[in-house]
């Protein structure tokens, strides 16, 4: 009888510990960055380092403007971007800009924020 009670207790507490580890994993997955949207850009003169630096500055300005206009502090903390060289001969002849948000915001909030970001990029280049 004691062994049955002991096994039941081990099962109950073991299940609680297992569920607690799953909750931690779910929280980690909710905080990891995922790509919500990406756009490719072709640089006009990829051999001119001043134009590459100017491109990076304009992307940064668009990011700052997007952050300053965001509604929620939680969304602000999870929003980042990444620039990836994609050119064949010269890596900076074409670049991909990826808008990344926390996984938990990757639905409608993340896409909405990324759309604003890419709209701000377009405004920077007009």
């Amino acid at each position: 009888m004691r062994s049955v009670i002991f096994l039941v207790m081990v099962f109950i507490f073991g299940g609680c510990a297992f569920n607690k580890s799953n909750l931690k994993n779910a929280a980690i997955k909710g905080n990891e960055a995922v790509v919500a949207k990406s756009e490719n850009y072709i640089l006009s003169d990829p051999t001119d380092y001043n134009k590459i630096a100017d491109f990076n500055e304009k992307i940064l300005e668009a990011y700052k403007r997007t952050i300053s206009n965001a509604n929620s502090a939680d969304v602000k903390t999870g929003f980042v971007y990444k620039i990836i060289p994609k050119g064949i001969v010269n890596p900076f002849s074409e670049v991909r800009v990826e808008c990344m948000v926390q996984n938990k915001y990757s639905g409608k909030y993340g896409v909405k924020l990324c759309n604003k970001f890419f709209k701000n990029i377009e405004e920077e280049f007009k």
Side-chain angles (χ1 to χ4, degrees), residues 31-38 59-60 63-64 66-67 74-83 97-103 105 110 113-114 117-118 121:
N31 290 331
E32 68 185 14
V34 295
V35 177
K37 188 173 180 181
S38 66
I59 299 294
L60 180 60
Y63 173 77
K64 287 178 183 178
T66 306
I67 286 291
D74 292 333
V75 175
K76 288 181 185 180
T77 60
F79 169 57
V80 295
Y81 70 93
K82 180 170 46 170
I83 298 175
V97 178
E98 292 184 344
C99 176
M100 302 175 77
V101 296
Q102 288 182 16
N103 194 15
Y105 296 117
L113 190 63
C114 289
F117 174 59
F118 286 112
I121 290 173

Side-chain angles (χ1 to χ4, degrees), residues 1 26 28 49 57 90 106 111:
M1 182 71 170
I28 290 170
Y49 290 110
E57 286 298 318
N90 182 346
S106 64
V111 171

Side-chain angles (χ1 to χ4, degrees), residues 40-57:
N40 289 337
Y41 297 95
I42 297 174
L43 302 182
S44 61
D45 186 7
T47 58
D48 185 0
Y49 290 110
N50 291 328
K51 289 195 179 202
I52 294 171
D54 185 48
F55 176 80
N56 287 329
E57 286 298 318

